[in-house]
Amino acid sequence: MKVLSIGGGGYAWEAKEKVENGMAVIIREVNKCYDLQHFLKQESSIAVKLEQLKISECSHLINLVPSSSSFQNLTTLVVSYCKGLKNVLTSSTTKTLVRLREMKISGCNMITEIVADDDDAAKDEIIVFNEMKKLTLSYLKSLTSFCSGSCAFRFPSLEILVVDDCHNMKIFSRGELSTPVLLRVQLKTWDKEQSAWKDDLNTTIQQSQSSN
């Protein structure tokens, strides 16, 4: 398992290796990167090897990775309190997340969408999150949608969707959307928590926000 954890506050790397249950575990922690602007500036083998990526409190981070990056082994993506980010991934990078099981994006005040269309993205482009079971979007005050472009999204395994204090989110996505096993959306605000479902995911988001 390869884990990279990045936290803001300074300028140092800390790396450690250990063995658990006979398997080598490589854990890299970047705990002092307040001025970090890019996790990766160009395509790198680091991204391909990662299984867990956690980035928090990097206030100057403006771009996570270039659109050419591949995360084909990533199972967990957590991004929190990076106030300069406006989106997390491009559609090209998102298509490589074939093993992603959990995504959590929270406390990033500038994010307007999670997935941004590439300039040359095809109108009929389909992005499939085959293994994703849980998606959490919380405290994203500028978020309007998961994706505002025309990409189609399929979440065949998604069981848990949490939308927590995302008051400007009006729709999940504008393209074709499939969530066959999702039965409810967990909606949270500062004063209440509820589960909701009406026809489909987009309708559920629209109705829940209109009632707030």
Side-chain angles (χ1 to χ4, degrees):
M1 178 174 68
K2 299 176 178 66
V3 179
L4 177 57
S5 180
I6 301 176
Y11 308 91
W13 280 76
E14 174 187 352
K16 54 190 176 183
E17 297 186 15
K18 60 182 179 178
V19 175
E20 289 185 357
N21 299 323
M23 296 182 63
V25 179
I26 302 172
I27 300 178
R28 290 186 174 87
E29 299 176 352
V30 189
N31 293 318
K32 300 178 180 180
C33 296
Y34 181 76
D35 286 336
L36 183 72
Q37 292 188 350
H38 307 272
F39 164 52
L40 292 176
K41 286 188 177 181
Q42 58 188 12
E43 190 174 354
S44 169
S45 61
I46 293 175
V48 176
K49 295 176 181 178
L50 279 176
E51 294 183 12
Q52 294 187 27
L53 175 59
K54 301 178 182 181
I55 300 178
S56 66
E57 298 181 87
C58 295
S59 300
H60 291 85
L61 188 69
I62 57 176
N63 182 42
L64 194 60
V65 293
S67 59
S68 58
S69 298
S70 174
F71 286 96
Q72 62 193 42
N73 289 303
L74 198 69
T75 62
T76 304
L77 175 61
V78 178
V79 181
S80 59
Y81 301 100
C82 297
K83 64 181 182 181
L85 275 179
K86 291 187 178 180
N87 56 69
V88 181
L89 300 163
T90 65
S91 55
S92 293
T93 302
T94 304
K95 286 190 293 185
T96 71
L97 297 172
V98 294
R99 294 188 59 203
L100 192 69
R101 297 171 191 163
E102 180 174 1
M103 179 190 293
K104 182 176 182 180
I105 313 298
S106 61
C108 301
N109 291 338
M110 295 293 291
I111 284 181
T112 57
E113 59 184 338
I114 306 302
V115 178
D117 264 358
D118 291 313
D119 292 337
D120 58 350
K123 290 185 177 181
D124 57 351
E125 192 162 36
I126 299 174
I127 297 176
V128 183
F129 289 94
N130 267 321
E131 297 191 22
M132 186 184 290
K133 293 185 178 297
K134 184 174 183 179
L135 172 61
T136 302
L137 307 172
S138 59
Y139 307 109
L140 303 172
K141 68 178 185 180
S142 299
L143 185 74
T144 59
S145 63
F146 187 80
C147 179
S148 63
S150 58
C151 291
F153 287 92
R154 296 176 182 171
F155 296 84
S157 304
L158 186 65
E159 298 175 350
I160 301 172
L161 172 59
V162 179
V163 178
D164 186 356
D165 274 336
C166 299
H167 296 296
N168 286 307
M169 189 175 186
K170 305 304 181 185
I171 193 172
F172 187 85
S173 67
R174 301 191 180 282
E176 182 183 343
L177 180 61
S178 173
T179 58
V181 299
L182 186 67
L183 300 177
R184 63 185 61 85
V185 179
Q186 296 179 25
L187 301 164
K188 300 180 181 180
T189 61
W190 67 273
D191 62 343
K192 65 180 180 180
E193 179 177 344
Q194 61 180 340
S195 294
W197 189 257
K198 176 64 177 177
D199 297 333
D200 55 55
L201 179 51
N202 275 335
T203 302
T204 301
I205 296 294
Q206 289 169 339
Q207 290 203 353
S208 65
Q209 297 296 55
S210 64
S211 65
N212 289 337

